[in-house]
Amino acid sequence: VQLQASGGGLVQPGGSLRLSCAASGFSFAHYAIGWFRQAPGKGREGVSCISSSGGRNFYSASVKGRFTVSRDDAKDTVYLQMNSLKPEDTATYYCARSYGSHPIAGLWATPSAYDSWGQGTLVTVSS
């Protein structure tokens, strides 16, 4: 199982970025995928999750309305479109594979509900 997040970088407040999570080594279409972030000195925070069919998505309150998660099963890739970025969005972003097609009930934002993690990609929002 491999997951690789990419697309991070430096962006000004109010700007946009699209992160990608490329997967390999498993039947990607059968798994929910989550996005987490970790700012310096803070714990890992759940940002979003998309179910295997893409029919149900989850967002944290801090990003709802600004971030959009999507997936392309033909490319084994999940995307996180981030708009209206704020300095507090600065963090390393990680993608992770859930244990099944949907996140464990009520635990989509809990790191222990995911069994495989990729290397992160750094997002810096600053003027």
Side-chain angles (χ1 to χ4, degrees):
V1 175
Q2 288 193 329
L3 298 162
Q4 180 63 57
S6 62
L10 174 64
V11 63
Q12 293 187 340
S16 298
L17 280 176
R18 188 177 78 157
L19 304 185
S20 299
C21 173
S24 62
F26 65 100
S27 298
F28 176 79
H30 295 162
Y31 289 87
I33 302 293
W35 283 99
F36 288 76
R37 66 186 181 187
Q38 188 164 17
K42 295 188 177 181
R44 197 161 290 192
E45 173 193 12
V47 174
S48 183
C49 178
I50 185 167
S51 64
S52 62
S53 63
R56 189 170 185 190
N57 304 335
F58 302 83
Y59 298 96
S60 68
S62 60
V63 308
K64 194 170 185 178
R66 300 188 297 122
F67 291 11
T68 302
V69 66
S70 62
R71 64 189 297 155
D72 184 343
D73 289 344
K75 297 182 178 179
D76 289 355
T77 301
V78 169
Y79 303 98
L80 186 67
Q81 178 67 44
M82 306 187 298
N83 299 329
S84 303
L85 283 162
K86 305 175 181 179
E88 52 263 43
D89 294 318
T90 294
T92 299
Y93 284 71
Y94 302 86
C95 57
R97 188 186 76 168
S98 178
Y99 283 98
S101 59
H102 292 79
I104 299 171
L107 296 179
W108 75 265
T110 303
S112 61
Y114 298 81
D115 66 353
S116 298
W117 293 79
Q119 292 184 327
T121 185
L122 178 63
V123 173
T124 303
V125 184
S126 175
S127 55

